[in-house]
């Protein structure tokens, strides 16, 4: 899943308006921000096998620290607690952020083939509902989620200036172009190459902070 994770982050702005969109992106994509770092460090492993699923050729061989259910729960608790503690935010804000972090695992489990471990053990049971075996199904679910999240974010905030509009809509266009390239472009030459390009996810977090700084929360 790609734009679906951003959808959750965008939509969550309505629940926790004081939290920047950049922080919400970090929460919703925490697993995919950590994953390329762990792959490059040699801790987790990914391969490329064209035809493995209809949508992605990525073979997630070993990724328990970024993508197991147990790790998702731990990352969620740590992220929510760290934000609430560092920013002196209400516990409710921390709880919403924890849910956004955990949502990553749930959405990935919907799309991945059964390659998502429950624990960090190499022998762990693996789950996945394989939505990636349907191209129209994947696109429909992700775009519906993205549309809903974007609608919630644009209702919860308004542009303070021209950049407030431009930064948001250029981000939306960029995400959709990257998504289309992932769906219809050639497979990456190697798992390592996929991990290096996935590092660009960190730029999207920065983009989220930029957007949010030029938009004001609308009281609803
Ligand atoms: Zn993921």
């Amino acid at each position: 899943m790609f734009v679906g994770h951003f959808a959750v982050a965008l939509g969550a702005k309505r629940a926790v308006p004081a939290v920047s969109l950049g922080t919400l992106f970090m929460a919703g994509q925490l697993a995919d921000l950590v994953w390329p770092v762990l792959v490059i460090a040699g801790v987790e492993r990914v391969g490329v096998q064209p035809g493995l699923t209809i949508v992605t050729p990525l073979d997630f061989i070993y990724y328990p620290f970024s993508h197991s259910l147990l790790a998702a729960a731990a990352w969620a608790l740590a992220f929510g607690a760290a934000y609430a503690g560092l920013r002196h935010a209400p516990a409710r804000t921390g709880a919403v952020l924890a849910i956004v972090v955990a949502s990553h695992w749930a959405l990935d489990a919907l799309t991945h083939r059964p390659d998502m471990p429950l624990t960090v053990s190499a022998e762990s049971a693996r789950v996945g509902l394989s939505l990636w075996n349907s191209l129209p199904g994947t696109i429909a679910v992700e775009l519906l989620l993205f549309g809903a999240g974007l609608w919630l974010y644009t209702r919860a905030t308004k542009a303070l200036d021209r950049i407030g509009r431009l930064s948001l809509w250029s981000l939306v266009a960029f995400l959709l172009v990257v998504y289309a390239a992932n769906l219809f472009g050639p497979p990456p030459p190697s798992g390592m190459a996929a991990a290096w390009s996935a590092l660009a996810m960190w730029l999207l977090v920065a983009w989220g902070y930029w957007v949010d700084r030029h938009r004001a929360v609308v009281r609803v």
Side-chain angles (χ1 to χ4, degrees):
M1 175 144 310
F2 181 65
V3 290
H5 296 306
F6 290 99
V8 174
L10 285 160
K13 180 73 179 179
R14 204 187 152 106
V16 283
V19 180
S20 169
L21 186 62
T23 304
L24 290 167
F25 278 180
M26 206 190 288
Q29 288 287 29
L30 193 59
D32 287 358
L33 289 163
V34 169
W35 173 74
V37 177
L38 292 178
V39 170
I40 290 162
V43 177
E44 298 197 337
R45 272 180 302 136
V46 63
V48 177
Q49 207 181 307
L52 192 61
T53 71
I54 305 283
V55 172
T56 182
L58 291 181
D59 183 8
F60 299 96
I61 300 162
Y62 183 70
Y63 63 160
F65 304 107
S66 64
H67 278 80
S68 69
L69 179 59
L70 187 69
W75 285 114
L77 283 174
F79 193 88
Y83 185 89
L86 292 172
R87 303 297 301 265
H88 306 290
R92 183 186 160 277
T93 304
V96 170
L97 284 171
I99 292 169
V100 174
V101 173
S103 76
H104 187 103
W105 192 89
L107 290 177
D108 272 3
L110 170 69
T111 50
H112 285 228
R113 66 196 188 93
D115 63 19
M116 302 208 35
L118 298 180
T119 71
V120 292
S121 152
E123 287 89 49
S124 167
R126 290 162 169 249
V127 298
L129 295 174
S130 299
L131 180 63
W132 272 342
N133 282 329
S134 165
L135 183 61
T138 300
I139 294 175
V141 168
E142 292 222 46
L143 290 187
L144 275 173
L145 276 173
F146 193 59
L150 191 57
W151 185 76
L152 285 170
Y153 183 76
T154 53
R155 300 262 305 176
T157 64
K158 67 173 196 312
L160 286 170
D161 50 22
R162 218 165 60 91
I163 296 174
R165 270 187 303 277
L166 217 80
S167 60
L168 175 64
W169 294 107
S170 57
L171 172 68
V172 169
F174 182 78
L175 287 176
L176 292 176
V177 167
V178 170
Y179 187 47
N182 281 339
L183 289 177
F184 305 111
S190 68
M192 207 41 109
W196 279 104
S197 61
L199 276 182
M201 188 73 83
W202 286 95
L203 288 176
L204 293 167
V205 171
W207 203 329
Y209 283 110
W210 182 46
V211 170
D212 214 87
R213 211 163 299 146
H214 291 272
R215 299 183 67 90
V217 170
V218 180
R219 289 280 152 220
V220 278

